Structure formats: C-alpha cells, structure tokens
Amino acid sequence: MAKAKTQQPPTGKSPTATPTAHATYRACYQRFAPLAADLPERDVEVCRADVRIAFANVKRGVQAACADPARIRKALPELPLDDVLALPDLGRALVFAATRVTAKAASTREIDAKLKLVIELREPMLTLAETLAKRGLLPKDVVAEIRAGSGKYDLASDGMALAHLYEEHAGALRGKHPFTQEELNLLREASEWLLDTLTPEGARRPAAKQRGEAEKMRDRLWTLLVRRYADLRKIAYYFHGDAFEDVTPKLLSRLSSSAAEDEGEEVEAEDDGSEDADGGGSGGAVEQPASPSSL
C-alpha cells in the first residue's frame, strides 16, 4: 500500500458523485448477513452505538472520499475499494438489523392480515401458473412443488416462490396474465414478512430467542462496518492528509440536528421493514483517538 501523503492538501476539485437509487434495507440485510455470519466469534464487537448516526457518517464519508474511484484504484491498488464503496448499503443492512432488535413480537392480528393477503393472491396466481405450465410457459416441476404442502409457513413459501416465478419469466408471460407488478410486490413482501415471523410449524418465534438472534446479527454487521470504515479513512488520509477528519469523521461523531433529520427522512421513507430504526441507541460509546484506521 502506498505511503500516506500527509503533505497533500485537499484540492476541492473532486467530481461530485452521481446520485443513484439504492437497494431496499431488507435487500441490503440479506446481502450482507452471510458475510457478517462468517466473522469469527472472537472478533465480533458489541454494538452500543446509535446506528443512524454511524450510517449518516458512512454515507457522507463515502461521498466525500470516493467521488473518483478510478483515482483511488490507481493510487491504492491493494485496498478493497469495492468493499468501501458498498459501505452505505452495509449501513442500511445495519439499520435494518437494529429494527429487528427493537421490534415487538408480531401480533396474531398482524399475522392473520398478512396471511389473508397471501391467500387472496396465491390461489389465482397458482391456478393460472398451472395452466401456463401445461402450455410450456412455466416449469411444471416448480409449479407442482408450489402446489404441494400445507400450513401457514408453506403458504408464505408459496407466495414468495410465485412472485419470483412470475418475475423471472416476465418476458414469456407478458400479456398472458392479469397480475400487476404492485400485486407481485405485495405478495412477495407479505410472504417474506411471514417467513421472518413464523417457524416452519406455523407458530410465532419466542420473542426472547428472536431478539437474541437479531442482536447477534446486529453486532456482526456493526463489526463489518467498523472494519470497512477504517479502510475508508485510510483513503481520506492518503488524499487529504491531516485534514482527513473533515472528510471522514469518526464513525460515532454527532451530526448537526438538520443533518440528522435528513438521515431520518431516508430511513422513514424506506418502506421495506425499516420503520423503527433507532436500533441500539447511543449506549455511551466512546470515540477513539484520531488515526486513519480508527472510528
């Protein structure tokens, strides 16, 4: 890795990164959970941070320090830049994980409402899928497997599989079914919620066990975020020298009230299970002394 250039002042000429649409919080969680699960248990740090503050600092740091990825790759070829650029989505995964820790156990009424939606959409979609399969437009074995089985958990599995089936074969099925993309999205989201909430036997998971598992994944995602943020600060230190703190603040640095409100707006606008994103709270976390690899 190239030696840090502390004498190089910020130029202020980096191009502004083009805003792009981001994935849903749930999709980010599903993307990073397997990576977090692979971390050695001894390396996992307990998350006592306000994850929304960390998320806001991550987004601002990536935007400020990584506006010119080609320049970074040329100067720091050994640094895992793709991992750094994925930090905002990792932050979304962490926020989503925090909501699972603080979320209340699902009520019977909530479960019944989701099941009703899945049942109403499942039967007409499955019946038509069977007809389409007979005509060679859908795989018969997949449709037959969806029809098999019973119970609440199987209904949820069927709903998710049907939504995926119609979307996967959208080209071949264009104009051959009456279902809208909105209905497919509703079916998939309700089915995924049920799969997260129910056990295979159809009972609700014990709240304590569910919370414990959620806390473990939150801590693992936090650990992954801390590691990758250290690499982001190395980039800022290389290009901005002693001014790197202005580009990539400590991960737990507090924002101004207006900036914090902006970050809250994104979380509140997220419609994929991130409605309660306070997560771990501040927990009295202590900031580290300044260095390129610190929080």
Side-chain angles (χ1 to χ4, degrees), residues 158-189:
D158 292 350
M160 187 174 66
L162 277 169
H164 176 72
L165 188 67
Y166 275 89
E167 291 173 347
E168 184 181 16
H169 298 275
L173 301 182
R174 186 169 292 111
K176 296 180 173 64
H177 70 79
F179 309 115
T180 65
Q181 186 61 49
E182 181 182 4
E183 287 175 315
L184 292 173
N185 290 341
L186 285 172
L187 178 61
R188 184 183 62 254
E189 291 166 8

Short mmCIF file of all heavy atoms in Angstrom, two decimals, residues 158-189:
data_model
loop_
_atom_site.label_atom_id
_atom_site.label_comp_id
_atom_site.label_asym_id
_atom_site.label_seq_id
_atom_site.Cartn_x
_atom_site.Cartn_y
_atom_site.Cartn_z
N ASP A 158 -44.94 -20.42 -0.59
CA ASP A 158 -45.61 -20.41 -1.90
C ASP A 158 -45.70 -19.00 -2.47
O ASP A 158 -45.46 -18.77 -3.65
CB ASP A 158 -47.02 -20.99 -1.78
CG ASP A 158 -47.02 -22.48 -1.47
OD1 ASP A 158 -45.94 -23.09 -1.53
OD2 ASP A 158 -48.09 -23.01 -1.14
N GLY A 159 -46.08 -18.05 -1.60
CA GLY A 159 -46.24 -16.67 -2.06
C GLY A 159 -44.93 -16.11 -2.58
O GLY A 159 -44.89 -15.48 -3.65
N MET A 160 -43.86 -16.33 -1.84
CA MET A 160 -42.56 -15.83 -2.28
C MET A 160 -42.13 -16.51 -3.59
O MET A 160 -41.62 -15.86 -4.50
CB MET A 160 -41.50 -16.07 -1.20
CG MET A 160 -40.16 -15.43 -1.51
SD MET A 160 -38.98 -15.60 -0.15
CE MET A 160 -38.74 -17.38 -0.14
N ALA A 161 -42.35 -17.82 -3.68
CA ALA A 161 -41.97 -18.56 -4.88
C ALA A 161 -42.78 -18.11 -6.10
O ALA A 161 -42.24 -17.99 -7.21
CB ALA A 161 -42.15 -20.06 -4.65
N LEU A 162 -44.07 -17.85 -5.91
CA LEU A 162 -44.91 -17.41 -7.02
C LEU A 162 -44.49 -16.03 -7.52
O LEU A 162 -44.42 -15.80 -8.74
CB LEU A 162 -46.38 -17.37 -6.58
CG LEU A 162 -47.14 -18.70 -6.63
CD1 LEU A 162 -48.47 -18.56 -5.92
CD2 LEU A 162 -47.35 -19.14 -8.08
N ALA A 163 -44.25 -15.13 -6.60
CA ALA A 163 -43.82 -13.79 -7.01
C ALA A 163 -42.52 -13.87 -7.80
O ALA A 163 -42.36 -13.21 -8.85
CB ALA A 163 -43.64 -12.90 -5.78
N HIS A 164 -41.60 -14.69 -7.33
CA HIS A 164 -40.33 -14.87 -8.03
C HIS A 164 -40.55 -15.51 -9.40
O HIS A 164 -39.94 -15.12 -10.40
CB HIS A 164 -39.39 -15.73 -7.20
CG HIS A 164 -38.10 -16.05 -7.89
ND1 HIS A 164 -37.12 -15.12 -8.10
CD2 HIS A 164 -37.65 -17.20 -8.45
CE1 HIS A 164 -36.11 -15.68 -8.75
NE2 HIS A 164 -36.41 -16.94 -8.97
N LEU A 165 -41.44 -16.49 -9.47
CA LEU A 165 -41.70 -17.21 -10.72
C LEU A 165 -42.24 -16.26 -11.79
O LEU A 165 -41.77 -16.28 -12.95
CB LEU A 165 -42.69 -18.35 -10.46
CG LEU A 165 -42.94 -19.33 -11.61
CD1 LEU A 165 -41.68 -20.14 -11.91
CD2 LEU A 165 -44.10 -20.26 -11.26
N TYR A 166 -43.22 -15.46 -11.44
CA TYR A 166 -43.80 -14.53 -12.41
C TYR A 166 -42.80 -13.47 -12.85
O TYR A 166 -42.79 -13.04 -14.01
CB TYR A 166 -45.06 -13.87 -11.83
CG TYR A 166 -46.31 -14.70 -12.01
CD1 TYR A 166 -46.70 -15.64 -11.06
CD2 TYR A 166 -47.11 -14.54 -13.14
CE1 TYR A 166 -47.86 -16.40 -11.23
CE2 TYR A 166 -48.27 -15.29 -13.32
CZ TYR A 166 -48.63 -16.22 -12.36
OH TYR A 166 -49.78 -16.97 -12.55
N GLU A 167 -41.94 -13.03 -11.93
CA GLU A 167 -40.95 -12.02 -12.29
C GLU A 167 -39.81 -12.61 -13.11
O GLU A 167 -39.32 -11.99 -14.05
CB GLU A 167 -40.42 -11.36 -11.02
CG GLU A 167 -41.46 -10.49 -10.32
CD GLU A 167 -40.99 -9.96 -8.98
OE1 GLU A 167 -39.97 -10.45 -8.47
OE2 GLU A 167 -41.66 -9.05 -8.44
N GLU A 168 -39.42 -13.83 -12.78
CA GLU A 168 -38.33 -14.49 -13.51
C GLU A 168 -38.71 -14.75 -14.97
O GLU A 168 -37.87 -14.67 -15.86
CB GLU A 168 -37.97 -15.81 -12.82
CG GLU A 168 -36.78 -16.53 -13.46
CD GLU A 168 -36.47 -17.84 -12.76
OE1 GLU A 168 -37.34 -18.34 -12.01
OE2 GLU A 168 -35.36 -18.37 -12.96
N HIS A 169 -39.98 -15.04 -15.21
CA HIS A 169 -40.45 -15.36 -16.57
C HIS A 169 -41.32 -14.23 -17.13
O HIS A 169 -42.21 -14.47 -17.95
CB HIS A 169 -41.24 -16.67 -16.55
CG HIS A 169 -40.43 -17.86 -16.12
ND1 HIS A 169 -39.66 -18.59 -16.99
CD2 HIS A 169 -40.26 -18.42 -14.90
CE1 HIS A 169 -39.05 -19.57 -16.33
NE2 HIS A 169 -39.41 -19.48 -15.05
N ALA A 170 -41.03 -13.01 -16.71
CA ALA A 170 -41.85 -11.86 -17.11
C ALA A 170 -41.91 -11.69 -18.63
O ALA A 170 -42.97 -11.37 -19.18
CB ALA A 170 -41.30 -10.59 -16.47
N GLY A 171 -40.80 -11.94 -19.30
CA GLY A 171 -40.77 -11.79 -20.75
C GLY A 171 -41.72 -12.75 -21.45
O GLY A 171 -42.52 -12.35 -22.30
N ALA A 172 -41.65 -14.02 -21.08
CA ALA A 172 -42.50 -15.03 -21.72
C ALA A 172 -43.97 -14.86 -21.35
O ALA A 172 -44.86 -15.25 -22.12
CB ALA A 172 -42.03 -16.43 -21.31
N LEU A 173 -44.23 -14.25 -20.18
CA LEU A 173 -45.61 -14.12 -19.70
C LEU A 173 -46.24 -12.76 -19.99
O LEU A 173 -47.39 -12.54 -19.63
CB LEU A 173 -45.65 -14.37 -18.19
CG LEU A 173 -45.15 -15.73 -17.69
CD1 LEU A 173 -45.30 -15.82 -16.18
CD2 LEU A 173 -45.89 -16.87 -18.38
N ARG A 174 -45.51 -11.90 -20.67
CA ARG A 174 -46.04 -10.56 -20.92
C ARG A 174 -47.35 -10.65 -21.71
O ARG A 174 -47.42 -11.27 -22.77
CB ARG A 174 -45.02 -9.72 -21.68
CG ARG A 174 -45.45 -8.26 -21.87
CD ARG A 174 -44.33 -7.39 -22.40
NE ARG A 174 -43.27 -7.24 -21.39
CZ ARG A 174 -42.06 -7.77 -21.49
NH1 ARG A 174 -41.75 -8.50 -22.54
NH2 ARG A 174 -41.16 -7.58 -20.54
N GLY A 175 -48.40 -10.04 -21.17
CA GLY A 175 -49.70 -10.05 -21.82
C GLY A 175 -50.50 -11.32 -21.63
O GLY A 175 -51.61 -11.44 -22.16
N LYS A 176 -49.98 -12.26 -20.84
CA LYS A 176 -50.66 -13.54 -20.65
C LYS A 176 -51.22 -13.73 -19.25
O LYS A 176 -51.71 -14.81 -18.91
CB LYS A 176 -49.71 -14.69 -21.00
CG LYS A 176 -49.28 -14.69 -22.47
CD LYS A 176 -48.33 -15.84 -22.76
CE LYS A 176 -48.05 -15.96 -24.25
NZ LYS A 176 -47.33 -14.77 -24.78
N HIS A 177 -51.12 -12.71 -18.40
CA HIS A 177 -51.72 -12.80 -17.07
C HIS A 177 -52.16 -11.41 -16.63
O HIS A 177 -51.65 -10.39 -17.12
CB HIS A 177 -50.74 -13.42 -16.06
CG HIS A 177 -49.58 -12.54 -15.72
ND1 HIS A 177 -49.66 -11.50 -14.83
CD2 HIS A 177 -48.29 -12.54 -16.17
CE1 HIS A 177 -48.48 -10.91 -14.71
NE2 HIS A 177 -47.63 -11.51 -15.53
N PRO A 178 -53.12 -11.33 -15.71
CA PRO A 178 -53.70 -10.03 -15.32
C PRO A 178 -53.04 -9.38 -14.11
O PRO A 178 -53.47 -8.33 -13.66
CB PRO A 178 -55.15 -10.40 -14.99
CG PRO A 178 -55.02 -11.77 -14.39
CD PRO A 178 -53.89 -12.45 -15.14
N PHE A 179 -52.01 -10.00 -13.55
CA PHE A 179 -51.45 -9.53 -12.28
C PHE A 179 -50.49 -8.36 -12.50
O PHE A 179 -49.63 -8.40 -13.38
CB PHE A 179 -50.76 -10.68 -11.55
CG PHE A 179 -51.63 -11.90 -11.43
CD1 PHE A 179 -51.29 -13.09 -12.06
CD2 PHE A 179 -52.81 -11.85 -10.71
CE1 PHE A 179 -52.09 -14.20 -11.97
CE2 PHE A 179 -53.63 -12.96 -10.61
CZ PHE A 179 -53.27 -14.15 -11.25
N THR A 180 -50.62 -7.34 -11.67
CA THR A 180 -49.78 -6.15 -11.78
C THR A 180 -48.49 -6.34 -10.99
O THR A 180 -48.38 -7.22 -10.10
CB THR A 180 -50.51 -4.92 -11.23
OG1 THR A 180 -50.72 -5.09 -9.81
CG2 THR A 180 -51.85 -4.73 -11.93
N GLN A 181 -47.51 -5.50 -11.28
CA GLN A 181 -46.26 -5.53 -10.53
C GLN A 181 -46.50 -5.18 -9.07
O GLN A 181 -45.84 -5.73 -8.18
CB GLN A 181 -45.25 -4.56 -11.14
CG GLN A 181 -43.86 -4.63 -10.53
CD GLN A 181 -43.22 -6.00 -10.69
OE1 GLN A 181 -43.21 -6.57 -11.78
NE2 GLN A 181 -42.68 -6.55 -9.60
N GLU A 182 -47.44 -4.30 -8.82
CA GLU A 182 -47.78 -3.94 -7.44
C GLU A 182 -48.28 -5.16 -6.67
O GLU A 182 -47.92 -5.36 -5.50
CB GLU A 182 -48.83 -2.85 -7.43
CG GLU A 182 -49.22 -2.39 -6.02
CD GLU A 182 -50.29 -1.33 -6.01
OE1 GLU A 182 -50.80 -1.00 -7.10
OE2 GLU A 182 -50.63 -0.84 -4.92
N GLU A 183 -49.11 -5.98 -7.31
CA GLU A 183 -49.62 -7.19 -6.65
C GLU A 183 -48.49 -8.18 -6.38
O GLU A 183 -48.44 -8.81 -5.32
CB GLU A 183 -50.70 -7.84 -7.51
CG GLU A 183 -52.01 -7.07 -7.53
CD GLU A 183 -53.03 -7.66 -8.47
OE1 GLU A 183 -52.66 -8.02 -9.62
OE2 GLU A 183 -54.20 -7.80 -8.07
N LEU A 184 -47.57 -8.31 -7.32
CA LEU A 184 -46.43 -9.21 -7.13
C LEU A 184 -45.55 -8.71 -5.97
O LEU A 184 -45.08 -9.51 -5.16
CB LEU A 184 -45.61 -9.30 -8.41
CG LEU A 184 -46.29 -10.01 -9.59
CD1 LEU A 184 -45.45 -9.88 -10.86
CD2 LEU A 184 -46.54 -11.48 -9.28
N ASN A 185 -45.36 -7.40 -5.90
CA ASN A 185 -44.56 -6.84 -4.80
C ASN A 185 -45.24 -7.06 -3.46
O ASN A 185 -44.59 -7.42 -2.46
CB ASN A 185 -44.34 -5.35 -5.03
CG ASN A 185 -43.41 -5.05 -6.19
OD1 ASN A 185 -42.64 -5.92 -6.61
ND2 ASN A 185 -43.47 -3.85 -6.72
N LEU A 186 -46.57 -6.86 -3.41
CA LEU A 186 -47.31 -7.07 -2.17
C LEU A 186 -47.22 -8.52 -1.72
O LEU A 186 -47.03 -8.81 -0.53
CB LEU A 186 -48.78 -6.68 -2.37
CG LEU A 186 -49.10 -5.19 -2.41
CD1 LEU A 186 -50.56 -4.97 -2.81
CD2 LEU A 186 -48.83 -4.54 -1.06
N LEU A 187 -47.35 -9.43 -2.68
CA LEU A 187 -47.27 -10.85 -2.34
C LEU A 187 -45.90 -11.22 -1.81
O LEU A 187 -45.76 -11.92 -0.80
CB LEU A 187 -47.60 -11.69 -3.58
CG LEU A 187 -47.52 -13.21 -3.41
CD1 LEU A 187 -48.50 -13.69 -2.35
CD2 LEU A 187 -47.77 -13.92 -4.74
N ARG A 188 -44.87 -10.74 -2.49
CA ARG A 188 -43.51 -11.07 -2.05
C ARG A 188 -43.21 -10.50 -0.67
O ARG A 188 -42.65 -11.19 0.20
CB ARG A 188 -42.49 -10.54 -3.07
CG ARG A 188 -41.04 -10.92 -2.71
CD ARG A 188 -40.03 -10.34 -3.68
NE ARG A 188 -40.04 -8.89 -3.67
CZ ARG A 188 -40.55 -8.15 -4.63
NH1 ARG A 188 -41.09 -8.71 -5.69
NH2 ARG A 188 -40.53 -6.83 -4.55
N GLU A 189 -43.56 -9.23 -0.45
CA GLU A 189 -43.26 -8.59 0.82
C GLU A 189 -44.02 -9.24 1.98
O GLU A 189 -43.45 -9.46 3.06
CB GLU A 189 -43.58 -7.10 0.74
CG GLU A 189 -42.64 -6.33 -0.18
CD GLU A 189 -43.14 -4.95 -0.53
OE1 GLU A 189 -44.16 -4.53 0.07
OE2 GLU A 189 -42.53 -4.28 -1.38
#
